Amino acid sequence: MTREIANDRDLHSACRPKTRAGRIPRKGGGRGVWTALALAAFCGGTITSYAQAQSETAKTLEGDDYKAIGFPIAGQGAVPIGPLVPSLYGNPHLFGDWGGAQSWMQNRGIFLNIALNEEYMGNVTGGRTRDNVLAGQVAAELDIDWQKLAGFQGFWTHLLVVNGHGRNFSYSLGDYVSNPEQIYGSRGNVVAHLVSMYADKTFLHDRIVVSAGVIPTGTFFDFDALACSFMNVSVCGNFAPGKYAPGGRDWPSANIGAVLRVRPTERTYLMGGLFAVSPHAFNGGVSGWALAQDGLGKLSSQFEAGWDPAFGKDKLLGHYKIGFYYDNSRYPHLYEDRYGGSYQASGLPARNASGMWSSWLMFDQMLVRSGKGLADGLIVIGGLGYAQGNVVAMRDHEWIGLLQSGTPWHRPLDQIGVMFQHMTMSRSVRLQQESSVALGLPFVSNQWGNVYGVQRWEQVYEAFYSLHLAAATALQFDFQYLQHPGATTTFNDAAIIGGQFTTNF
């Protein structure tokens, strides 16, 4: 993979918002994010969409008690549909009410969050080389409920910017397929990298929501808030392979587009989206603000249907969704030339394939309730995702995990979890790499980065414990075992230890 494309993956795959303690996404570039607050005239907030179910608020408050909601379609805070913003649920802050400033703003429909995430990771054994890295991010979001602020009923605006530091652990580990980090890369080395900037308008008593602007597609589609409890980025927020293709790029990259969300019943939803596909390695340039890029003529159309039940007297919450997207761009075949043979052997250009698709089935279900919070109990989480293997290097991805809040051992804001992931690379990319070996050519990089051998499959075993330290502040301890790093047998299996500190100011 070229360095440009590698940076693109750094830009929109590595970090996802986390938030057992109100965490906010990471990754940026520059030294601080404070100047981003000057952008508050237009609000921001896909940021902690991933965090809602994991936030302190979600663990300690009953859904029926919520007074403010980030997206009206979410129902009384009990059934998250699409992105949510924890601050809108009274999410706690390390510095409390900011001397009354938070209450003053929220009473006027202004919701402001600033969060810090620092992450350490190193391999104890295995991988390409022994190494350890430190990466971090500051993020700022601002959301405005214009009904409260100016009487404009059912209208919200959102803005999110991030700033980060650190480097990619994948290079030294030799594994771009399943990156154990959530945070890495400088994101263009800018003070405030634009993640999202869009507006919502509701209709028919909040049964319909139309969103339009600069939107990370995975903030709405193929998204699971609970997945970012885990540090491995392959499932955090939304899954690989879909989020690494231009038509489905996710946080902190975004596509210009619109989303229509409809709730036929209180517990079901239908959602469709249409997005411009950028032919560039960086959507919006390295800063995210270059919105008028050339070549935006192709479109990605996405659809998802979901069911959010609550079973029994304990209201055991579940979230089930199925969806797909289709990008009508043309992409080079990973193996074939125009005649169906190896383009490396013939010396002809790879033939272009029309369109690219990705599909998914995802779920999480509370099995046993430990307390009143939305994520307070034993929860099973899992899913499977597919992509068009002749143009996308990873064909399929399956995962299953368990999460448990710390209530049974009198630590309700702690959390523990385990997960297993399996990733299979496509037949086309394997044929390409076998052709490289036969011809004595270097391996060709792909959407996942540098290639160090013939890629077949990789498996990840992960376990973590998140320790609540103070209001909106947590320290997570993480262990991962990577079988076939980089989906090859070139390097020994890797044992990874990591830690993550998060706080919501």
Side-chain angles (χ1 to χ4, degrees):
M1 172 159 91
T2 66
R3 186 61 249 170
E4 182 182 34
I5 298 176
N7 284 340
D8 178 43
R9 182 174 183 272
D10 290 356
L11 188 63
H12 41 73
S13 72
C15 61
R16 307 299 285 72
K18 207 140 170 127
T19 94
R20 263 167 306 278
R23 308 180 179 186
I24 289 188
R26 40 270 170 204
K27 220 175 146 182
R31 297 256 177 199
V33 77
W34 308 111
T35 58
L37 301 182
L39 301 170
F42 194 87
C43 274
T46 58
I47 179 164
T48 25
S49 21
Y50 311 89
Q52 154 58 17
Q54 289 304 105
S55 67
E56 283 188 22
T57 301
K59 290 185 177 183
T60 56
L61 296 183
E62 295 182 76
D64 293 342
D65 292 336
Y66 288 125
K67 301 300 182 184
I69 56 176
F71 288 76
I73 203 170
Q76 288 72 42
V79 185
I81 297 175
L84 303 173
V85 182
S87 62
L88 305 185
Y89 291 80
N91 199 58
H93 297 269
L94 178 63
F95 298 138
D97 195 34
W98 294 8
Q102 280 285 347
S103 296
W104 186 91
M105 288 188 294
Q106 290 177 16
N107 289 338
R108 289 158 178 79
I110 302 171
F111 300 90
L112 175 64
N113 255 344
I114 303 171
L116 171 70
N117 188 307
E118 290 290 333
E119 182 176 287
Y120 166 83
M121 190 154 283
N123 54 325
V124 177
T125 184
R128 179 170 171 263
T129 62
R130 292 282 298 278
D131 196 9
N132 62 90
V133 299
L134 179 67
Q137 174 178 282
V138 179
E141 59 153 324
L142 185 61
D143 302 84
I144 296 177
D145 178 352
W146 289 93
Q147 181 171 329
K148 285 186 176 181
L149 185 64
F152 189 179
Q153 185 174 0
F155 187 73
W156 286 78
T157 54
H158 310 278
L159 174 71
L160 169 62
V161 294
V162 295
N163 173 280
H165 64 86
R167 60 186 177 88
N168 191 345
F169 186 39
S170 290
Y171 175 75
S172 54
L173 183 63
D175 186 357
Y176 284 95
V177 172
S178 175
N179 196 305
E181 298 171 284
Q182 286 191 352
I183 312 169
Y184 57 80
S186 62
R187 301 192 200 167
N189 195 31
V190 295
V191 172
H193 176 85
L194 176 66
V195 176
S196 63
M197 182 171 60
Y198 66 96
D200 302 313
K201 180 67 178 74
T202 68
F203 303 91
L204 299 180
H205 305 289
D206 300 338
R207 291 286 181 178
I208 297 176
V209 179
V210 177
S211 303
V214 181
I215 300 172
T217 66
T219 298
F220 286 83
F221 297 90
D222 58 44
F223 160 78
D224 193 326
L226 295 173
C228 284
S229 298
F230 298 89
M231 288 180 67
N232 190 290
V233 78
S234 297
V235 294
C236 181
N238 62 326
F239 69 93
K243 66 182 177 181
Y244 295 150
R249 284 175 175 165
D250 188 38
W251 202 103
S253 190
N255 293 59
I256 298 172
V259 178
L260 171 66
R261 288 171 284 172
V262 179
R263 188 169 60 192
T265 70
E266 189 68 22
R267 296 281 174 176
T268 61
Y269 69 90
L270 300 172
M271 186 163 56
L274 196 63
F275 302 94
V277 179
S278 172
H280 303 280
F282 298 96
N283 288 14
V286 294
S287 70
W289 292 96
L291 304 181
Q293 289 180 300
D294 60 352
L296 294 177
K298 297 299 183 178
L299 297 172
S300 171
S301 53
Q302 306 207 19
F303 175 80
E304 183 174 285
W307 176 44
D308 301 302
F311 296 110
K313 62 181 179 63
D314 289 334
K315 297 183 179 179
L316 301 176
L317 296 176
H319 304 93
Y320 300 82
K321 58 189 67 182
I322 185 170
F324 70 90
Y325 76 72
Y326 178 77
D327 171 6
N328 67 359
S329 306
R330 293 174 63 83
Y331 294 98
H333 197 286
L334 292 174
Y335 172 70
E336 296 179 1
D337 61 19
R338 71 184 69 173
Y339 302 109
S342 166
Y343 74 83
Q344 293 171 296
S346 69
L348 297 173
R351 73 176 180 88
N352 285 327
S354 297
M356 175 191 293
W357 62 265
S358 177
S359 60
W360 58 89
L361 171 66
M362 303 168 68
F363 70 91
D364 61 72
Q365 176 63 56
M366 183 177 287
L367 304 177
V368 180
R369 181 171 287 283
S370 303
K372 296 180 178 181
L374 298 179
D376 197 350
L378 177 64
I379 299 172
V380 60
I381 175 176
L384 53 91
Y386 290 87
Q388 187 173 331
N390 62 342
V391 293
V392 180
M394 184 184 292
R395 185 195 67 189
D396 63 81
H397 181 189
E398 298 79 33
W399 63 97
I400 189 76
L402 286 171
L403 292 165
Q404 171 65 58
S405 65
T407 305
W409 52 93
H410 310 294
R411 297 279 306 177
L413 299 181
D414 288 5
Q415 189 178 49
I416 191 170
V418 295
M419 178 174 279
F420 167 76
Q421 300 181 55
H422 175 83
M423 285 152 278
T424 303
M425 307 304 282
S426 73
R427 177 177 180 272
S428 293
V429 82
R430 186 173 70 252
L431 289 174
Q432 176 205 91
Q433 292 157 359
E434 290 172 346
S435 176
S436 296
V437 173
L439 297 169
L441 298 174
F443 291 113
V444 180
S445 59
N446 53 52
Q447 293 100 333
W448 275 259
N450 297 331
V451 175
Y452 297 98
V454 176
Q455 295 179 312
R456 289 183 170 83
W457 58 267
E458 180 171 354
Q459 294 185 156
V460 180
Y461 306 82
E462 182 174 4
F464 79 87
Y465 188 93
S466 177
L467 180 68
H468 173 73
L469 300 178
T473 304
L475 178 63
Q476 176 168 319
F477 303 93
D478 190 88
F479 174 80
Q480 298 178 46
Y481 186 82
L482 310 182
Q483 188 177 7
H484 292 183
T488 78
T489 57
T490 303
F491 309 122
N492 291 334
D493 295 351
I496 309 294
I497 58 170
Q500 191 172 64
F501 173 82
T502 59
T503 189
N504 191 45
F505 296 113

